[in-house]
Amino acid sequence: MFDIRKDFNCCKTVSCKNFGVENSEDYVYQSKRLGYLSIECKACGSNPPWINNQLIENILKEKLDFHFARKITHCRHCYSHFFFNEKNRSQLHGFTVAGTQRLKCKNCQHVYSETKHKNVEAITQVLQTIIDKLDINSAIRKTGLSARLYYFYLEKLSLLLTNFSRLKEQEEINRDSLSLQTEGKVVHLNHKRGFYTLLTAEADSGYILLQTTNLTKVELLEQDIYNSTENTVIKDAFANNIESEIKNHYQQTLHRKHFEKLLIGELKAINHCNLIYPNKLVYVHFSLLRGFIKKAQHYSHYIELESSIRAAALMSAHPEIKAGKADIFYYLPFLNNQEIIKNRKVGWWSDRWHSFDKGAYSLLTDNKQNQYPFKMTDTEQLNRYYDYLDTHLNKSLNSFNTITNLSEIHRVLFNFCYAQDDKSTAMQFGVANHIYDEMSLLSEAMTYKEYTGE
């Protein structure tokens, strides 16, 4: 398994000698000096909020298995997760009595069979109900399937599209340089239900690589279950200039109980699962992103102006930041910006901000020989996907499995089937050479395989 950070209780100040260092003699563990549980770094005076590492590990296992382990190709014995394990090689090894191709793994010598998809018609019918935006009860009636079978084939559809997507991404992701863009969004459903989701796209194309929600089936302690009507999500302000907008964001952060305590308004829980606080989910999401960046010689990450996202981004990228291989930027969109800001200190942490035509940015890392300046030209890419998700995801959903499967299906459909300037994000990312319609995408996903032999 590719290495993922286990301990997030350390100094998160990039300029401090203890940045990312575990078990420093300068630390005061579980300090309450500022009125909340934190780890105090005496070297720089910072007090980042205390993180329950075991909770993060438990949630991470759940999300890792859903997003990267649902494989229908390759040997599952020694290649259990996309991106996080090295690909195995196989050789043809005869056929089963039913005529299915068998393969033999060259790494562990395990013999396995290619997957055959049964009842293609049912999977196709389920996809059509998604295209038609039917609610679940109407969808079940239209297909003629029982509720149990409808959900069964919905999961099969999600598995097929995810597997196809990950195979394509794995072929393309090995780049010398990589740029990512991450934001958090709240998806509202009927009857005040909903969830918080973190979205990450490849920044140059807008291709959605990963979305993780704060829905979980992991057993939580009462203090970890999101249950709040207070709203400290950064509100859409109408500041008359970009500097005022930046200051508004910092000021709202400072009004929280502690600066990472992001609250997202009143959200009622989904059946048979819990909502975890967003400031805990961020560590899971950025840990998963390591699968995409691990082979890049350098990567840039553009994140929204949010303290909890900043902390998680810095912790995930710590090895690359220390090696001068990663740059993390705050960015703040501001349409039709006419103001010029250059190296302006703003906020409690004295971040240095610069303006550009679509807003402003601040370099959070300390790479003094930076050869990769801020160059994000489209700040609306994640908003386009969020608008798509808001339009296409059924608002009557009230089930963990259905929401997670449908969210992943829509991620793939958006990437491969919807165009911006006559190109899909999959085309712009390099994993497709044409715009798919939904049925042709399913057809190719059912037959696509990556032979790994010589």
Side-chain angles (χ1 to χ4, degrees):
M1 177 67 71
F2 183 66
D3 183 47
I4 297 176
R5 190 181 186 99
K6 300 290 187 181
D7 187 357
F8 297 98
N9 288 309
C10 60
C11 181
K12 299 177 176 69
T13 303
V14 175
S15 59
C16 181
K17 68 176 184 177
N18 289 324
F19 170 59
V21 175
E22 300 175 18
N23 302 314
S24 170
E25 61 183 12
D26 295 321
Y27 292 161
V28 178
Y29 288 96
Q30 300 198 28
S31 168
K32 291 187 177 180
R33 184 173 68 89
L34 297 184
Y36 59 88
L37 204 61
S38 67
I39 176 169
E40 181 180 347
C41 177
K42 293 181 179 179
C44 66
S46 66
N47 283 79
W50 184 258
I51 304 299
N52 182 339
N53 290 314
Q54 187 59 56
L55 173 63
I56 302 303
E57 184 176 340
N58 294 342
I59 303 293
L60 178 61
K61 175 65 166 60
E62 176 187 58
K63 303 297 185 184
L64 180 66
D65 286 348
F66 177 79
H67 290 287
F68 296 102
R70 304 193 307 158
K71 296 166 50 54
I72 55 177
T73 59
H74 303 284
C75 175
R76 296 168 182 81
H77 290 259
C78 61
Y79 181 49
S80 55
H81 293 85
F82 283 119
F83 299 101
F84 290 88
N85 297 110
E86 291 296 326
K87 289 193 295 184
N88 52 15
R89 299 178 66 81
S90 61
Q91 63 187 35
L92 301 178
H93 195 73
F95 297 86
T96 66
V97 292
T100 303
Q101 178 68 62
R102 293 194 305 177
L103 299 167
K104 185 175 183 179
C105 176
K106 291 188 175 183
N107 294 340
C108 68
Q109 309 305 309
H110 187 82
V111 176
Y112 59 99
S113 301
E114 290 184 343
T115 301
K116 277 197 171 182
H117 306 295
K118 299 178 180 179
N119 206 340
V120 173
E121 182 180 355
I123 299 173
T124 303
Q125 287 179 318
V126 171
L127 176 57
Q128 187 61 55
T129 64
I130 296 171
I131 297 170
D132 294 340
K133 302 180 185 179
L134 299 182
D135 64 72
I136 294 297
N137 290 333
S138 298
I140 291 171
R141 287 195 298 270
K142 182 175 181 179
T143 60
L145 298 168
S146 66
R148 182 185 66 83
L149 282 177
Y150 181 87
Y151 291 124
F152 174 82
Y153 287 116
L154 179 68
E155 185 167 5
K156 289 294 184 184
L157 175 62
S158 175
L159 174 62
L160 273 164
L161 295 181
T162 300
N163 197 84
F164 174 77
S165 169
R166 295 303 183 209
L167 284 172
K168 289 287 192 178
E169 293 157 16
Q170 194 158 255
E171 293 172 0
E172 182 61 30
I173 203 69
N174 296 334
R175 301 179 172 188
D176 290 338
S177 62
L178 181 69
S179 297
L180 303 179
Q181 177 188 359
T182 297
E183 289 183 20
K185 303 286 187 182
V186 180
V187 178
H188 293 283
L189 303 174
N190 292 344
H191 309 300
K192 295 186 178 181
R193 294 190 299 268
F195 55 91
Y196 176 81
T197 184
L198 278 161
L199 306 174
T200 292
E202 194 276 326
D204 294 328
S205 64
Y207 183 95
I208 307 300
L209 290 168
L210 182 66
Q211 58 180 353
T212 55
T213 75
N214 70 329
L215 299 169
T216 181
K217 286 189 172 182
V218 172
E219 186 174 348
L220 301 178
L221 298 175
E222 186 65 33
Q223 66 263 27
D224 296 321
I225 299 174
Y226 183 82
N227 181 22
S228 179
T229 57
E230 184 181 358
N231 186 345
T232 61
V233 172
I234 300 300
K235 299 177 176 63
D236 292 330
F238 296 96
N240 57 9
N241 62 69
I242 186 63
E243 186 170 356
S244 296
E245 181 76 352
I246 297 169
K247 289 178 178 178
N248 286 344
H249 279 65
Y250 281 114
Q251 194 62 38
Q252 192 172 21
T253 299
L254 290 173
H255 285 162
R256 300 171 182 172
K257 182 178 180 180
H258 66 70
F259 53 84
E260 289 187 16
K261 189 74 168 184
L262 172 62
L263 301 176
I264 50 179
E266 182 180 6
L267 287 180
K268 293 185 177 178
I270 309 299
N271 283 344
H272 309 302
C273 68
N274 287 311
L275 297 173
I276 193 170
Y277 276 92
N279 57 296
K280 297 175 174 64
L281 178 69
V282 291
Y283 289 96
V284 173
H285 182 85
F286 279 87
S287 294
L288 294 176
L289 288 177
R290 290 197 58 77
F292 297 106
I293 68 174
K294 66 176 184 174
K295 292 187 177 180
Q297 294 301 306
H298 182 277
Y299 82 97
S300 299
H301 206 143
Y302 309 127
I303 63 174
E304 70 171 288
L305 206 176
E306 167 51 51
S307 292
S308 59
I309 292 178
R310 170 185 179 145
L314 292 175
M315 286 298 90
S316 173
H318 171 256
E320 290 75 21
I321 293 171
K322 297 293 285 186
K325 294 174 57 179
D327 290 310
I328 314 297
F329 294 88
Y330 268 154
Y331 81 95
L332 181 63
F334 195 86
L335 295 178
N336 303 315
N337 179 46
Q338 303 296 317
E339 187 180 3
I340 297 176
I341 298 176
K342 188 174 182 180
N343 206 30
R344 186 83 55 84
K345 286 186 178 181
V346 185
W348 179 263
W349 295 272
S350 296
D351 296 325
R352 294 184 178 273
W353 284 85
H354 302 259
S355 61
F356 67 113
D357 59 340
K358 295 181 177 64
Y361 65 90
S362 175
L363 177 62
L364 303 178
T365 45
D366 193 25
N367 184 359
K368 293 183 173 57
Q369 297 181 343
N370 181 28
Q371 300 177 4
Y372 297 87
F374 182 92
K375 60 176 184 178
M376 189 168 67
T377 57
D378 186 352
T379 62
E380 293 299 309
Q381 293 175 142
L382 290 176
N383 286 335
R384 282 193 286 272
Y385 175 64
Y386 175 68
D387 290 342
Y388 163 88
L389 196 63
D390 186 56
T391 302
H392 289 76
L393 189 66
N394 195 301
K395 293 294 191 294
S396 64
L397 297 177
N398 194 22
S399 160
F400 173 88
N401 289 340
T402 308
I403 291 174
T404 51
N405 282 319
L406 278 172
S407 296
E408 186 63 6
I409 289 168
H410 283 305
R411 180 188 73 86
V412 181
L413 294 181
F414 175 82
N415 282 332
F416 286 86
C417 302
Y418 291 85
Q420 172 74 16
D421 298 328
D422 298 323
K423 281 190 174 183
S424 65
T425 62
M427 293 172 66
Q428 296 183 69
F429 185 43
V431 295
N433 56 20
H434 65 280
I435 300 171
Y436 288 81
D437 63 67
E438 293 88 347
M439 290 302 174
S440 66
L441 179 66
L442 173 60
S443 178
E444 186 164 337
M446 286 184 174
T447 58
Y448 187 80
K449 62 189 70 173
E450 183 186 40
Y451 175 55
T452 59
E454 295 178 349

